[in-house]
Amino acid sequence: MSWVLRRTLPLYMRCSTPLHHLHAPAPTAHSCCAPAVRQRRVRRCASTAAAPDTSQGGRKAARSQPVAPAGQQKINLTSLPGTKDFLPDDMRARAWIFDHWTRVSEQFGFEMVEGPVLEAEDLFVRKAGEEIVGQLYNFEDKGGRRVALRPELTPTLARLVLQKGKGLSLPAKWSQIGQCWRYERATRGRRRVHWQWNLDIIGVAGVEAEAEMLAAMITFFKAVGLGPQDVGIKISSRKVLQQVLQSNGVQDESFGPVCVIVDKLDKIGQEKVTLELEELGISEQAIAAVFEVVALSDVADLTTLLGEDSQTAAELQQLFRLLDSYGCSDWLLFDASIMRGLAYYTGVVFEAFDRRGELRAIAGGGRYDKLLETFGGEPQPCAGFGFGDAVIFELLAERDLLPALPHKVDDVVVALDGDLRGEACAIATRLRAAGRRVDLVLESKKMKWVFKQAERCNAARLIIVGAEEWQNGAVRVKDLAERTENNVAVADLC
């Protein structure tokens, strides 16, 4: 570098060491350079010029490196663990999923509702020992209130139902699509922040409610290209285990914790489940009875185990008959080990799963007849399910069922002359009012760039506002698929 050039460059460009190194913390014992050597190196960089790194394009590459201002740290640009950035391609795929969720909700006569992401903490803190309690993003706000980012949607629905009170016409069929937060270990198909689709039916005591919601879930699976060879739905009832525990002398207050433990059977295995049940004080006889019932795989066997007069067995058999009438039998299997981890479930529970066993649960739900009571409301039969976005994205991608969803507009509008920018705006406005998707070129660009932009947007037409055509009340319209072009009067443009 010449002496003249060095004198004209700012100080930070005369040094080959990145500026943020000049403000780095003192080296530790594990540093590759001794402190004295590093200090001398910094002083030398501050007073002398070094040649730019020509291996990356010389002076031009050196200028392109981001340099943090003095006294400022570089910002970490990666998203936080367990969260996800949704760039345009991701947003189009997510919108496609949400559209299907919304369409199925409407097909089955559900109405959309929505509550805030931030709720009172005590809405979610129900019973000690629940996994979800330890996963809350909770804190005290500036008003001294204990609040939490909702980890699920059902308690918010319960609050809304209680808020409506007797003014709510029953039965009510409500649908939600909302963001949920849980501080848990992020794995494949599990994020700390996810979106969830809920369907809930309030005011129907029979298994007709569960059958309707399961039919809706299966309708969604079919709509996105999945079949019973891809997805299965395990169905059981907590009442099965409850009846077995009662007949073996287990107190009612132990029922909820036992359900939470048994629900972990697939994750931790029978040996660890046994140890946790023993720690809970469950007898050896009762534990043996628990494993006997969870080993059942045919709903018809329930009558033998629970007795001919068992209402629980009759309810489950009726549910399977109803789902057969919906045409859903190929998707279903009875699995008495399904408990679901949330303590508010009181009866039928179900869980959709990947048939290949490579992913965690896709969706799950059941009956929660006593949830409103825990918030001080009147008893009300309720059932619902939650369906997260993370696992279904993984499953659809794995099965190559996510459609190609490129950015697409109908028209790209460009003014050839800066003086015609206003006229181009008027043309874009006219086309948008007619329902067309229009990308307006906002700056002066070469036509080569404009054609590339039209290709990137998958535009059907390129509309050029030129001085000669405009004087004649027209614009130049290029059909990019047919590779034809014509002058079209502005009055005829649509």
Side-chain angles (χ1 to χ4, degrees):
M1 184 183 296
S2 70
W3 180 86
V4 174
L5 180 59
R6 276 171 40 193
R7 289 292 301 269
T8 60
L9 288 175
L11 175 61
Y12 72 85
M13 292 188 66
R14 301 181 215 165
C15 175
S16 63
T17 301
L19 187 61
H20 64 271
H21 284 185
L22 303 182
H23 303 278
T28 65
H30 301 286
S31 298
C32 61
C33 300
V37 173
R38 180 169 292 187
Q39 289 171 4
R40 288 196 300 272
R41 186 174 296 169
V42 169
R43 284 196 298 269
R44 184 165 61 251
C45 290
S47 58
T48 62
D53 183 2
T54 57
S55 66
Q56 299 295 326
R59 179 180 170 193
K60 182 177 180 181
R63 283 182 173 175
S64 67
Q65 300 300 314
V67 179
Q72 291 187 16
Q73 293 184 342
K74 291 180 67 176
I75 296 173
N76 184 355
L77 301 181
T78 59
S79 58
L80 292 172
T83 65
K84 175 180 171 61
D85 296 318
F86 286 86
L87 295 174
D89 286 344
D90 303 309
M91 286 299 296
R92 285 189 288 273
R94 193 177 82 178
W96 181 77
I97 295 285
F98 285 12
D99 285 346
H100 280 290
W101 282 348
T102 302
R103 193 174 302 124
V104 171
S105 299
E106 293 172 349
Q107 279 180 284
F108 280 74
F110 285 79
E111 297 180 280
M112 296 297 294
V113 297
E114 184 176 5
V117 173
L118 190 66
E119 292 273 19
E121 181 187 59
D122 57 9
L123 193 64
F124 306 105
V125 180
R126 293 175 297 269
K127 291 187 178 181
E130 275 196 288
E131 184 181 35
I132 199 170
V133 174
Q135 296 173 347
L136 288 177
Y137 278 88
N138 51 345
F139 54 94
E140 185 176 292
D141 70 7
K142 294 181 179 180
R145 293 171 290 262
R146 293 296 306 175
V147 297
L149 296 173
R150 65 184 177 202
E152 53 162 330
L153 301 178
T154 305
T156 293
L157 174 126
R159 181 179 62 77
L160 294 175
V161 170
L162 291 173
Q163 192 180 84
K164 290 289 291 183
K166 296 188 182 299
L168 179 63
S169 179
L170 298 178
K173 298 169 71 175
W174 283 0
S175 174
Q176 301 180 77
I177 298 175
Q179 192 180 59
C180 299
W181 297 67
R182 291 191 187 187
Y183 193 86
E184 57 184 342
R185 187 170 65 90
T187 60
R188 185 186 180 195
R190 182 193 294 265
R191 298 196 301 267
R192 291 176 177 174
V193 185
H194 70 279
W195 290 83
Q196 186 165 301
W197 173 42
N198 270 35
L199 291 186
D200 294 271
I201 298 179
I202 304 101
V204 175
V207 293
E208 290 80 5
E210 287 92 331
E212 176 82 345
M213 289 184 299
L214 284 166
M217 184 188 293
I218 290 170
T219 298
F220 167 81
F221 287 136
K222 291 177 180 177
V224 296
L226 294 167
Q229 74 280 2
D230 301 302
V231 176
I233 300 176
K234 300 175 183 178
I235 301 176
S236 185
S237 173
R238 282 194 170 191
K239 293 179 182 178
V240 174
L241 184 60
Q242 187 175 32
Q243 189 169 334
V244 169
L245 292 174
Q246 287 174 345
S247 65
N248 283 274
V250 178
Q251 299 299 311
D252 287 344
E253 57 266 25
S254 297
F255 173 62
V258 169
C259 287
V260 172
I261 293 170
V262 173
D263 189 59
K264 298 186 287 186
L265 182 59
D266 286 344
K267 299 176 185 176
I268 65 176
Q270 184 170 329
E271 184 177 344
K272 289 185 178 180
V273 166
T274 300
L275 290 173
E276 291 192 19
L277 290 174
E278 289 174 345
E279 291 173 1
L280 195 61
I282 307 302
S283 68
E284 184 178 333
Q285 176 185 331
I287 293 173
V290 167
F291 287 123
E292 181 184 359
V293 70
V294 299
L296 294 178
S297 59
D298 190 336
V299 69
D301 295 335
L302 278 179
T303 304
T304 304
L305 180 69
L306 303 179
E308 293 289 341
D309 59 346
S310 170
Q311 183 63 31
T312 300
E315 284 181 354
L316 281 170
Q317 289 164 1
Q318 170 68 357
L319 176 57
F320 275 83
R321 282 194 295 269
L322 287 170
L323 287 166
D324 182 56
S325 298
Y326 278 103
C328 298
S329 293
D330 291 345
W331 301 75
L332 312 175
L333 67 153
F334 174 71
D335 185 342
S337 69
I338 296 299
M339 292 290 133
R340 303 296 297 162
L342 298 173
Y344 55 65
Y345 288 118
T346 57
V348 171
V349 285
F350 49 85
E351 187 171 283
F353 67 98
D354 166 26
R355 292 275 192 184
R356 295 182 185 174
E358 298 171 355
L359 298 168
R360 62 190 297 266
I362 303 167
R367 180 160 291 276
Y368 53 95
D369 288 346
K370 296 183 179 180
L371 181 59
L372 299 185
E373 289 182 70
T374 65
F375 297 138
E378 295 293 323
Q380 191 67 260
C382 303
F385 71 70
F387 193 136
D389 67 326
V391 178
I392 192 63
F393 267 115
E394 292 282 348
L395 182 61
L396 291 171
E398 188 176 85
R399 302 294 198 276
D400 198 26
L401 291 173
L402 284 174
L405 298 166
H407 179 39
K408 186 172 180 60
V409 302
D410 296 308
D411 302 314
V412 170
V413 176
V414 61
L416 288 183
D417 191 320
D419 293 338
L420 294 172
R421 193 71 46 77
E423 286 76 2
C425 292
I427 292 296
T429 299
R430 178 188 182 89
L431 292 169
R432 288 164 179 163
R436 295 184 69 82
R437 297 165 295 179
V438 179
D439 183 32
L440 174 64
V441 178
L442 302 175
E443 301 175 294
S444 296
K445 295 287 186 180
K446 293 181 179 179
M447 287 307 296
K448 181 179 179 181
W449 183 95
V450 173
F451 277 108
K452 285 186 177 180
Q453 175 67 2
E455 182 180 0
R456 190 186 74 83
C457 295
N458 295 282
R461 302 187 305 184
L462 174 61
I463 297 173
I464 302 171
V465 182
E468 183 178 340
E469 292 85 359
W470 191 258
Q471 287 178 355
N472 295 318
V475 291
R476 193 72 171 167
V477 176
K478 292 180 178 286
D479 186 313
L480 299 176
E482 299 294 331
R483 297 184 179 276
T484 60
E485 57 183 281
N486 296 284
N487 287 348
V488 177
V490 172
D492 298 331
L493 189 64
C494 61

